[in-house]
Structure formats: C-alpha cells, structure tokens
Amino acid sequence: MAEQPEDKIITFEQYYDPMLAHIIRTKLEDNGIPCFIADDNIISANPIYSNAVGGIKLKIFERDLERCREILAESGDLHEQDHFEIDEETHSPVICPYCASSNVRYGPATERRTHWFTALLFVLLSAFPLYARKSWHCFNCRRDFD
C-alpha cells in the first residue's frame, strides 16, 4: 500500500537539549498534534553522539507542519535561541561576552589551548591527556569563554 503524502513523517526540529525537545513535544501534544521524539535514548546513553546523529529530533506528520509553526509562533517562546543556561555559582543567566547571546552550554572546550612542552611530553610518553578542559561555549559566535 502506497504511503499517502499527508501520512509522511518528517523532522520538525532538531534539539541538542533534551528538556527543550520534550517541552516543545508536550506543547504540540496539548494542542492535538501527534508527535514523538527520536534519538533521545542514543543521546541520553552517550551525549558524545549528539552531533553524529544530528541531535534529538521532533517528528510530526507532514500534514501538521503549518499548524505546528502556528502553535509555536502564537506562544512566541520555546525556540532554541531563546534558551538560556543558569550559572550554578552565581544563579544568573550566562551570556556570551563576545556576542551577548544566551545560546551557550557548559562542557568540553572546543578551542585547544595546549602548551608545546605539554604536547611534546605526551608524544614522548605515548600517552594522552587524561582530562578535558571545560568552559562555556557560544553556539552563535562559536567561541569558548570562562
């Protein structure tokens, strides 16, 4: 039996924050839109795979696409760019000092800051560093900050 165009399942949005994906899913379901989350278990089991699988995907029927956009536009909130992190020490929102974006996450640093002597020592000992430097990372300007 051929699949009807209105029964086609598509990816509505992709998220790197599981909580935000589930909030959007719940908001759509409360408005009568059938939807589900894909790849949540993979990313929950191993967050390193997040980029490899393309994040957590919110799946909907293609026929509901315009209605989903309307529902999210009506509320005017809950988009990834509106999401912000709270600093555990100061209990205030974290803002990128370079571009003033709130689209930031705390985790392994993306910019490598290794002294040449440390790198040479690891090469001579055939070892790898046992720790990863952590810092805040801005997804808009793609810079790390402390």
Side-chain angles (χ1 to χ4, degrees):
M1 185 163 114
E3 191 175 288
Q4 298 295 328
E6 61 271 0
D7 291 339
K8 183 178 176 188
I9 295 175
I10 61 170
T11 300
F12 178 61
E13 287 188 355
Q14 296 170 299
Y15 302 94
Y16 292 98
D17 180 4
M19 185 67 69
L20 185 60
H22 285 284
I23 290 171
I24 298 292
R25 178 190 55 83
T26 304
K27 186 171 204 63
L28 294 177
E29 286 178 346
D30 286 347
N31 284 283
I33 304 291
C35 57
F36 67 94
I37 300 287
D39 296 331
D40 185 26
N41 292 335
I42 294 171
I43 294 171
S44 296
N46 194 345
I48 294 173
Y49 292 153
S50 183
N51 286 337
V53 298
I56 299 168
K57 297 168 194 73
L58 180 61
K59 301 283 191 169
I60 62 168
F61 287 110
E62 189 173 35
R63 67 176 180 252
D64 296 326
L65 180 62
E66 288 304 316
R67 180 68 182 130
C68 290
R69 288 180 179 156
E70 290 171 9
I71 291 167
L72 293 180
E74 286 171 7
S75 64
D77 59 354
L78 298 176
H79 287 286
E80 191 156 351
Q81 62 266 21
D82 295 333
H83 177 74
F84 59 89
E85 293 285 330
I86 302 293
D87 187 358
E88 304 234 347
E89 294 175 10
T90 62
H91 301 292
S92 61
V94 177
I95 306 295
C96 175
Y98 302 107
C99 69
S101 168
S102 62
N103 190 13
V104 298
R105 299 286 187 280
Y106 187 74
T110 57
E111 296 174 359
R112 300 199 185 269
R113 295 183 187 165
T114 306
H115 191 271
W116 67 269
F117 180 73
T118 307
L120 179 64
L121 181 64
F122 283 118
V123 169
L124 292 175
L125 295 175
S126 297
F128 295 102
L130 300 176
Y131 72 95
R133 184 178 68 84
K134 290 191 171 191
S135 68
W136 289 97
H137 177 75
C138 177
F139 290 99
N140 288 358
C141 68
R142 304 197 185 285
R143 296 178 76 178
D144 290 342
F145 59 95
D146 292 320

